[in-house]
Structure formats: C-alpha cells, structure tokens
Amino acid sequence: MNIEPVLSKDRNTFSGQGKISHKHVLADCWVTKTSELGINDDTVHCRTFMGAILSIGDPVMGLDLKNCNVNNPDLELMATEKIPDVVLVKKVYADKTLRNRKRRWRLRRMEGLPHLDTESCNNEMMGFMEDLEEDPHMRQHVNLYKDKTKMPVDEDDEDDQGVLR
C-alpha cells in the first residue's frame, strides 16, 4: 500500500458541505489484495479518510465494489464512473493474541457481580480493550492501571538452553 495525503488546497469544496473534520485526513491510497501480493503488481487507487493513521505497507480492510454483487437501488442509479473501485474501512493492527500478551495495563472491574464473569462479558471486555489500544481519543477518557502480573521480559535473560527466565 502507498499513501499520499491530499492537501487542503487540492480538495473540492462546495457550499453547504458542513463542518470539515480535523480528526480525519483525506488521502490518496494505492492498494493491492493480499492474495495478489508478489504475484500481480496491479494496484487500485482509492481515497480514504484514514490518512492520519495509515502508513506505507499497513494492512487494511476494505470493500471491493468493483468485483462484488450489490443489490442496492441507490447504487444502481449512480454513474459507474462515480462509484469507487475500493472503499477502505479499517486498519488492521497486529495479531490480537500478541497484543494481549504485551498489554501491561488493565481496567478495574466492579467486584461481586457474578454475571460479569461469563465468557461473553469477557469477550466484550477484550474487544473494549482492543478499541482502547487503537483509539487514543477514546483512551484519554479511561483510567488505565498498571498490571503487576505482567512483568516486562528482558531478552538478555536467557540461559544456555535459550529459555526465558
């Protein structure tokens, strides 16, 4: 993936468009399917609102509107040259299990509520913690506490067998 931010002077503006977000950055992106990496050098151009969080080579999730079957009357009324080939939806962050192991913070929970110990509540809590890691604006309103059970591991602490202490 290659990415170039669109400067404010190059944007199309019109009356009545409303307030312009400074949280999101408009950018031109050239993406390739992961199944075609190394095989095919064809890239697809698209514009995205995620210019502030994307870097060159980042994996992203998107919708391939060029090769999908969409049954939407509003989309059928649009001119085909106005429909984008790809719509980028979300940046893919590192492996979730690896991030969970490296997480050195925790959230406090209310004690004495037995319905919070179910697997579905634990899954929701893990999803919430992942959202906190990905969104700094959301993280600034939440109190995070140091997890004393997760001690940092030095890579120099290996014995002769290569096992960490």
Side-chain angles (χ1 to χ4, degrees), residues 20-157:
I20 296 176
S21 172
H22 297 289
K23 177 182 175 182
H24 303 99
V25 175
L26 186 65
D28 285 322
C29 245
W30 289 267
V31 294
T32 304
K33 289 182 182 179
T34 54
S35 61
E36 296 178 0
L37 280 175
I39 300 169
N40 195 349
D41 291 337
D42 291 337
T43 58
V44 178
H45 174 265
C46 62
R47 281 216 165 160
T48 182
F49 63 94
M50 299 185 294
I53 61 172
L54 292 179
S55 300
I56 295 174
D58 284 346
V60 292
M61 289 185 181
L63 300 171
D64 185 7
L65 295 179
K66 185 177 182 181
N67 297 320
C68 74
N69 183 12
V70 180
N71 296 323
N72 187 337
D74 296 329
L75 193 64
E76 292 173 3
L77 294 175
M78 289 179 66
T80 55
E81 60 271 359
K82 295 273 186 179
I83 300 173
D85 293 339
V86 173
V87 176
L88 298 183
V89 178
K90 183 179 179 183
K91 177 179 177 178
V92 177
Y93 291 90
D95 185 24
K96 290 181 183 180
T97 56
L98 180 64
R99 284 193 345 219
N100 290 342
R101 281 187 287 169
K102 288 186 176 183
R103 187 179 294 140
R104 294 185 186 160
W105 54 270
R106 62 181 178 84
L107 299 174
R108 288 193 180 163
R109 297 177 86 167
M110 294 176 63
E111 298 295 327
L113 300 174
H115 67 279
L116 291 179
D117 293 333
T118 61
E119 186 174 341
S120 63
C121 285
N122 288 335
N123 290 341
E124 286 183 24
M125 179 62 87
M126 293 304 288
F128 178 66
M129 292 168 90
E130 290 168 5
D131 290 342
L132 284 176
E133 285 179 338
E134 295 171 2
D135 190 1
H137 297 292
M138 186 174 163
R139 189 172 44 237
Q140 72 184 2
H141 301 293
V142 176
N143 293 332
L144 302 177
Y145 299 94
K146 189 184 290 187
D147 192 358
K148 297 181 186 205
T149 61
K150 299 206 177 172
M151 299 297 293
V153 178
D154 294 332
E155 294 177 5
D156 299 337
D157 293 345

